[in-house]
Amino acid sequence: MNCIESTDAMVGGDLVPESRSVSPAVGLIGDLGEAVGPDQVLTEPDLKAGYVRDWTGRWIGNAAAVVRPGSVEEVQRVVRICQEAGAPLVPQGGNTGLVGGSIPHRGEVLVSLRRLDRLGPVDHGTRSVIAGAGVTLGRLQAHAREEDLAYAVDLASRDSATVAGTIATNAGGAYVVSRGDTRRQVLGLEVVLADGSLVSSLETLPKVSTGPDVIQTMIGSEGTLGVITSARLRLSTPSESELMVVLVGMDTLTDGLRLMGPGLRAIEFFDRACLEAVIEHRGLARPIPGDFLFYVLVETTGNLALDESSSAVVDRSLWVYRESITETINGLGVPLKLDVAVPLDRIDGFAAVVRALDTSGEVFLYGHLAEGNFHVNVVGSPDPDRASEEILGLVVSMGGAIASEHGIGVAKTDRWRRTTDPGSIELARRVKEALDPNRILNPGVFWG
Ligand code: 2HG
Ligand code: ZN
């Protein structure tokens, strides 16, 4: 089974890995209360509910306790206590993840980082800012805008997704094609290691090359190597040229790639099923005349050479059709979500095979076109595990990636181990062994 979902037996119980006992022992809860204040240790099921369930309803777990440290020192104390008690912990930001990677599946201690929300002044010299783990992307972007700068990573979940969560998953979003993924924005990190010690590279100069930057391995490590508490992030200058947002209807995605040219900032796509569902859910007007297999949304400062026969419209508010898809699909049922990428010369072939698969559910395709990224969402499939196996198998056979920007989580841990080259797995294992020998950090992810 690829998708490791919690069973009913796990919900509300205190199921723990056999090798460890993490029952909410009075000692552990008491120690955590001393570390962060008793009010910041939640043990009541209704108080824990919003932290142990993801917002799609696909991943429902259970935590010995939810701990909400308010400072780096408190995070250090919490990690030390867990280490001494042999109690695994799961770090969590805004709980917007889609692969079950920040949900405690087996009674771990959930460490919520939302209270680490300090946002420093913009440093115009290095054009960067230090942001606490729990700062939301929306707040960070607004802060940068006030200083006529911008933070490059943007997602529809910007008002909940946090700085540390997006670093831990190396989040992408709509602007990767022009400004790069989260990794490209991280200039420095502050991290609590599994033994409670602190490492920091926040006071970075604009450029440093004094040996290996090991702390960078935290990016994309999904909370398995350390707990990110702060980051120094690169800010960019917003475009001064006039922005144009265009939606074009077409029957192949390859045609969409032709819209990439000078001035391109973002190029996104969605299929007919997405558009119809969004129109209905949001009560929106049909954005362009005609009926197409795919719709490609381009944001650019350049000139788009569209031929006269193309069905296209220019309007900045068009983003609503793309950004409403996830929320719309969620209203239709608990979706199977696969975030994958295939080589650009296979995008139409991949789309055609996925649409022809017998998942017995409704299939929605959308994503970030320039990266060959597909967010395959399936609603109503009676056997989502089988659908997942088939789609991921197809991705691998096409030379694609089983995780493009949402991470591995628990959803794809098994696949990751089966499909990554053995040398890389061995290297990752040695790093894990060195940094977290007792495997207390997010134990369900990567190493299962
Ligand atoms: C997006 O690009 C996000 O909209 C979410 O990565 C994708 O919900 C999804 O499957
Ligand atoms: Zn995406």
Side-chain angles (χ1 to χ4, degrees):
M1 183 171 108
N2 186 55
C3 238
I4 309 164
E5 278 187 85
S6 301
T7 61
D8 284 344
M10 292 161 97
V11 179
D14 282 312
L15 215 69
V16 295
E18 276 164 25
S19 56
R20 298 227 171 85
S21 170
V22 209
S23 63
V26 181
L28 176 64
I29 303 299
D31 290 350
L32 292 170
E34 265 176 43
V36 299
D39 292 355
Q40 301 300 342
V41 180
L42 316 178
T43 52
E44 294 299 318
D46 53 335
L47 296 179
K48 292 191 288 184
Y51 297 87
V52 300
R53 176 191 197 279
D54 81 332
W55 63 275
T56 69
R58 184 159 182 76
W59 306 102
I60 303 171
N62 170 255
V66 172
V67 186
R68 296 166 34 91
S71 67
V72 177
E73 294 72 27
E74 289 186 2
V75 176
Q76 290 183 271
R77 272 183 235 148
V78 167
V79 173
R80 271 193 202 113
I81 289 166
C82 289
Q83 182 66 260
E84 270 155 34
L89 65 91
V90 174
Q92 186 186 84
N95 194 9
T96 58
L98 294 168
V99 285
S102 61
I103 296 295
H105 294 274
R106 291 175 170 260
E108 296 93 337
V109 172
L110 187 289
V111 182
S112 168
L113 300 166
R114 285 182 221 175
R115 289 180 65 225
L116 301 186
D117 60 357
R118 256 218 317 253
L119 190 50
V122 168
D123 175 354
H124 284 274
T126 55
R127 207 182 283 155
S128 66
V129 65
I130 295 180
V135 171
T136 63
L137 286 196
R139 210 178 127 218
L140 173 61
Q141 288 160 353
H143 187 57
R145 263 196 309 272
E146 278 167 20
E147 303 281 329
D148 294 325
L149 291 168
Y151 181 60
V153 176
D154 193 23
L155 321 164
S157 57
R158 61 183 72 81
D159 292 325
S160 307
T162 60
V163 160
T166 53
I167 295 173
T169 52
N170 186 24
Y175 295 99
V176 171
V177 62
S178 53
R179 306 193 215 153
D181 55 14
T182 300
R183 187 184 301 281
R184 293 264 305 275
Q185 324 307 328
V186 178
L187 296 176
L189 284 175
E190 178 188 73
V191 181
V192 174
L193 299 179
D195 62 359
S197 58
L198 190 70
V199 285
S200 173
S201 61
L202 289 181
E203 298 310 324
T204 186
L205 297 163
K207 186 176 182 323
V208 181
S209 66
T210 50
D213 193 352
V214 182
I215 204 168
Q216 291 262 340
T217 55
M218 297 294 159
I219 303 170
S221 70
E222 301 186 40
T224 62
L225 300 178
V227 181
I228 298 168
T229 49
S230 236
R232 181 185 283 280
L233 298 165
R234 184 193 304 283
L235 299 176
S236 46
T237 37
S239 161
E240 284 181 3
S241 324
E242 186 67 24
L243 277 183
M244 187 161 83
V245 180
V246 186
L247 185 71
V248 191
M250 48 189 58
D251 286 326
T252 73
L253 289 171
T254 308
D255 283 342
L257 290 176
R258 303 206 176 95
L259 300 176
M260 291 176 67
L264 181 75
R265 285 166 49 91
I267 180 161
E268 303 277 303
F269 79 92
F270 43 90
D271 69 358
R272 179 192 284 146
C274 294
L275 179 66
E276 297 303 331
V278 166
I279 286 176
E280 171 146 2
H281 174 75
R282 299 284 315 249
L284 297 171
R286 190 164 295 280
I288 49 176
D291 181 28
F292 301 88
L293 275 183
F294 298 107
Y295 297 83
V296 175
L297 183 81
V298 177
E299 184 176 297
T300 181
T301 56
N303 287 319
L304 274 193
L306 294 170
D307 67 53
E308 277 167 21
S309 65
S310 59
S311 211
V313 65
V314 182
D315 185 343
R316 287 185 76 158
S317 63
L318 285 167
W319 272 107
V320 69
Y321 291 91
R322 170 65 179 86
E323 292 204 330
S324 301
I325 300 173
T326 292
E327 147 205 328
T328 297
I329 292 174
N330 223 43
L332 299 175
V334 177
L336 164 69
K337 284 184 175 289
L338 295 172
D339 150 63
V340 299
V342 292
L344 289 179
D345 57 354
R346 312 294 292 268
I347 48 179
D348 281 303
F350 176 75
V353 178
V354 171
R355 291 153 68 96
L357 278 181
D358 179 21
T359 61
S360 306
E362 201 176 349
V363 176
F364 299 87
L365 300 179
Y366 58 112
H368 312 291
L369 188 56
E371 291 94 57
N373 164 274
F374 283 81
H375 296 312
V376 182
N377 280 225
V378 185
V379 179
S381 171
D383 192 351
D385 292 329
R386 191 176 61 85
S388 167
E389 273 297 297
E390 282 188 30
I391 296 166
L392 293 179
L394 178 66
V395 169
V396 172
S397 74
M398 288 185 157
I402 60 163
S404 176
E405 60 167 9
H406 297 168
I408 295 294
V410 296
K412 297 176 186 168
T413 280
D414 179 37
R415 258 285 163 183
W416 175 73
R417 297 254 283 280
R418 282 189 278 137
T419 56
T420 307
D421 91 273
S424 301
I425 296 275
E426 175 56 16
L427 184 58
R429 194 193 60 73
R430 285 190 214 172
V431 173
K432 177 73 175 170
E433 194 61 34
L435 292 180
D436 181 24
N438 298 327
R439 299 201 173 189
I440 67 154
L441 298 176
N442 214 359
V445 175
F446 298 129
W447 308 106

